[in-house]
Amino acid sequence: MEAKKKRMQELVELLNRARRAYEQEDTEIMSNYEYDRLYDELEGLERELGTTLASSPTVNVGYEVLSELPKERHEKPMLSLDKTKDVEQLKSFLGEQKAVISWKMDGLTIVLTYQNGRLQKAVTRGNGEVGEVITNNAKVFRNLPLQIPYQGELILRGEAVIGYKDFERINEQIEDVDARYKNPRNLCSGSVRQLNNEITARRHVQFFAFSLVRADGVDFENSREKQFTWLSEQGFDVVEHKMVTRETVEKTVAWFAEEIENNPIPSDGLVAIYDDIAYGISLGRTAKFPRDAFAFKWADEIKETHLLSIEWSPSRTGLINPVAIFEPVELEGTTVSRASVHNLSIMKALQLGIGDTIQVYKANMIIPQIAENLTRSGNIEIPQTCPVCGGVTRIQRTADVETLYCTNPECQAKKIKSFALFVSRDAMNMEGMSEATLEKFIGSGFIHEFADIFHLDRHKEAIISMDGFGEKSYENLMAAVKKASHTNLVRVVYGIGVA
């Protein structure tokens, strides 16, 4: 069964690659005969297993644009988990029980409902009580089955995630550094909640099941592990997991800690849940947590270093963010030398000063952060003028949080950042319109507002004569602009910074 499921996934990937090469790159990586043979093999496996993946070339999921995401109340509240960084506390939790321990994936929790073997509904966790209905987007998750063998009502929970490679690929395509996503979880959250599921499809969102809520008529022999096995047989990718006892949990946690470096999916810890379903249910819940599960969080690797400077980074909104520049240190296998301080309130609370000894770490083993300032000299001077335009700055306080802004409406940084967002891949998708190119056009007076981008042909001779430009590059740029003029409202709204 597992081998056939794996073969089905291989065929989906191979056939999609061949189709992309033929349709988008005008290249053939296999003959028509070979394509048809593999396609027939895939159809046969789908019939045999009763499973069809959303990304399968045998189904055509249409793209659709919604005006808003409807909200829906969950049948049962989705609680958070009590957590620890101490393995001894996990041992205490286990006692004499066996448990299933798995990755605590760092994405967006989704509740799926299947009826008569077909996906009927997908809802985000939301606030635990009410979530958003994202069925349209779930249908384009790369590995989610649209059809399964089981014909009763199935309700399950899992995590929508975007892997590190796709996260890096998508971020590299965004010219504007400020518009880039901070981590895979933020990217996934935005991708899953898109109003246009064509954007979701391009993000390569994956789904991993981690909890079965209801499957009437199926005997799981009172075992969570058997639920996982059954879900896998239905065609779902299930979160990687192992069985543990009090005696084996420490060794298993150590195994996961070694594996996290090679794990392609973001994780911020582990989850342990009792294998004995009835026992777990009998324990009930506290006001905040279920009593049958516990989360284990990784202990952060913290290094000492020295603060060299604060870089003030203006954004398209006029917000000027402080960024800490420090002596490079090795954290979680990579060298880091800078970390966002986010706002003035955090900078003041840390009493940052040049030359201070600071402790840094990676939040969730990904995002560099300052944990503590050991010397607290507090000698940083807040700039009176914008580092880009020289305009006057002002401090704004909202809900006890102080932020720094440039007051000049004509600030070059504001214009460049705004236009960079407008032409970015997820907005108007004008390939070749980099931030450096925008800076040249704005500085030359070609662009004053968004509409001017669509009339750059008025400045053809001047553009062709610019450094780095010529007839060919001009034609490519105009082709991208022309293509962008035929788009949809969702992209425009995102591009002008409303969504």
Side-chain angles (χ1 to χ4, degrees):
M1 170 71 76
E2 195 61 35
K4 289 180 179 179
K5 178 185 169 186
K6 184 177 180 181
R7 175 58 177 165
M8 182 175 69
Q9 292 173 332
E10 289 174 351
L11 288 170
V12 167
E13 185 65 32
L14 181 59
L15 289 168
N16 282 339
R17 200 184 318 139
R19 188 170 62 173
R20 279 195 301 271
Y22 181 77
E23 295 176 354
Q24 299 176 18
E25 302 165 17
D26 199 23
T27 315
E28 290 191 21
I29 63 173
M30 67 175 65
S31 67
N32 289 340
Y33 177 84
E34 181 70 3
Y35 184 92
D36 290 342
R37 186 184 69 79
L38 295 177
Y39 188 95
D40 291 343
E41 182 185 352
L42 175 61
E43 277 192 319
L45 282 171
E46 288 177 344
R47 283 194 299 271
E48 181 182 347
L49 300 177
T51 301
T52 305
L53 298 177
S55 54
S56 173
T58 66
V59 294
N60 182 20
V61 179
Y63 295 134
E64 185 179 344
V65 179
L66 303 177
S67 58
E68 64 177 6
L69 293 174
K71 291 181 170 55
E72 182 172 301
R73 183 170 293 276
H74 295 297
E75 184 178 323
K76 294 181 179 179
M78 299 182 66
L79 303 177
S80 300
L81 296 179
D82 201 358
K83 56 184 71 70
T84 183
K85 293 184 179 181
D86 185 0
V87 176
E88 291 302 318
Q89 195 167 351
L90 267 189
K91 290 181 180 179
S92 177
F93 164 75
L94 286 167
E96 301 303 315
Q97 292 291 320
K98 292 190 300 180
V100 181
I101 194 165
S102 63
W103 294 116
K104 184 177 182 295
M105 292 173 292
D106 199 16
L108 198 68
T109 299
I110 308 291
V111 184
L112 300 178
T113 301
Y114 286 77
Q115 291 177 341
N116 300 317
R118 293 188 177 275
L119 175 65
Q120 294 295 316
K121 187 168 55 180
V123 184
T124 67
R125 181 185 186 279
N127 63 6
E129 298 281 347
V130 177
E132 292 176 306
V133 180
I134 50 97
T135 312
N136 195 42
N137 292 336
K139 288 179 178 179
V140 297
F141 290 176
R142 289 192 74 190
N143 63 336
L144 185 70
L146 298 180
Q147 182 175 320
I148 60 174
Y150 177 67
Q151 296 297 301
E153 182 180 53
L154 168 63
I155 301 176
L156 70 150
R157 295 171 181 172
E159 199 84 351
V161 293
I162 290 178
Y164 288 117
K165 285 186 178 178
D166 285 314
F167 169 71
E168 291 166 3
R169 171 183 60 82
I170 292 166
N171 255 359
E172 284 172 1
Q173 294 166 352
I174 301 174
E175 294 281 354
D176 181 1
V177 174
D178 286 338
R180 289 177 180 170
Y181 294 92
K182 305 302 182 189
N183 53 58
R185 187 188 188 283
N186 285 354
L187 173 59
C188 184
S189 178
S191 302
V192 166
R193 300 171 62 251
Q194 288 286 331
L195 296 177
N196 180 355
N197 70 343
E198 183 177 1
I199 296 174
T200 308
R202 289 203 305 266
R203 301 287 178 79
H204 293 182
V205 180
Q206 299 178 72
F207 177 86
F208 291 88
F210 62 65
S211 176
L212 192 153
V213 179
R214 179 189 302 159
D216 295 335
V218 183
D219 182 10
F220 298 110
E221 301 175 31
N222 196 37
S223 168
R224 295 280 183 192
E225 185 182 32
K226 292 189 183 300
Q227 286 185 338
F228 277 20
T229 301
W230 183 82
L231 284 170
S232 181
E233 291 169 352
Q234 296 301 307
F236 295 97
D237 281 337
V238 175
V239 61
E240 186 174 16
H241 58 280
K242 292 181 176 292
M243 289 294 295
V244 294
T245 63
R246 180 187 179 94
E247 288 72 31
T248 64
V249 67
E250 188 168 0
K251 183 178 179 181
T252 304
V253 167
W255 180 87
F256 275 105
E258 289 181 6
E259 286 296 307
I260 196 169
E261 290 185 16
N262 305 314
N263 191 21
I265 302 300
S267 167
D268 59 353
L270 304 171
V271 174
I273 185 167
Y274 293 130
D275 182 57
D276 188 325
I277 298 171
Y279 175 74
I281 292 173
S282 73
L283 298 176
R285 48 176 276 195
T286 69
K288 293 177 63 178
F289 309 119
R291 289 194 172 99
D292 65 342
F294 225 97
F296 177 83
K297 304 284 283 187
W298 306 114
D300 298 312
E301 181 183 10
I302 296 177
K303 292 285 184 70
E304 283 189 14
T305 184
H306 294 96
L307 184 66
L308 301 176
S309 65
I310 292 289
E311 180 182 287
W312 299 93
S313 176
S315 70
R316 64 185 178 87
T317 61
L319 177 66
I320 303 175
N321 291 308
V323 179
I325 311 298
F326 46 82
E327 292 176 353
V329 290
E330 288 286 321
L331 278 177
E332 314 291 357
T334 61
T335 302
V336 295
S337 59
R338 55 193 292 129
S340 175
V341 189
H342 302 297
N343 55 58
L344 297 185
S345 294
I346 293 175
M347 189 183 76
K348 290 179 178 179
L350 288 168
Q351 294 179 285
L352 292 177
I354 305 304
D356 281 351
T357 301
I358 59 175
Q359 293 180 329
V360 294
Y361 72 105
K362 279 187 177 179
N364 292 347
M365 301 177 120
I366 302 170
I367 310 300
Q369 302 277 295
I370 298 177
E372 183 58 90
N373 181 7
L374 302 180
T375 45
R376 294 182 169 266
S377 67
N379 62 30
I380 301 293
E381 292 187 9
I382 299 171
Q384 302 292 309
T385 58
C386 172
V388 171
C389 72
V392 177
T393 61
R394 67 177 169 84
I395 296 174
Q396 180 173 307
R397 176 183 287 270
T398 305
D400 293 328
V401 175
E402 287 187 343
T403 49
L404 186 66
Y405 281 87
C406 172
T407 61
N408 178 15
E410 299 301 314
C411 177
Q412 194 82 344
K414 289 184 184 179
K415 289 189 174 184
I416 292 170
K417 302 298 184 185
S418 295
F419 287 119
L421 175 65
F422 185 74
V423 303
S424 66
R425 182 181 178 88
D426 289 339
M428 306 308 287
N429 192 22
M430 295 185 187
E431 191 172 344
M433 191 76 78
S434 67
E435 199 166 310
T437 298
L438 284 168
E439 187 174 1
K440 288 180 181 179
F441 290 170
I442 293 170
S444 298
F446 302 161
I447 299 176
H448 298 280
E449 56 188 16
F450 294 129
D452 292 336
I453 296 176
F454 297 96
H455 300 291
L456 286 170
D457 55 338
R458 297 170 180 169
H459 311 282
K460 178 179 178 179
E461 297 305 320
I463 292 174
I464 290 174
S465 65
M466 284 182 168
D467 287 341
F469 274 89
E471 189 78 38
K472 185 65 176 176
S473 56
Y474 168 82
E475 288 175 1
N476 290 340
L477 194 61
M478 290 303 100
V481 169
K482 183 178 180 180
K483 184 178 179 181
S485 65
H486 303 285
T487 188
N488 59 56
L489 181 60
V490 173
R491 284 179 171 271
V492 174
V493 168
Y494 175 78
I496 62 178
V498 174

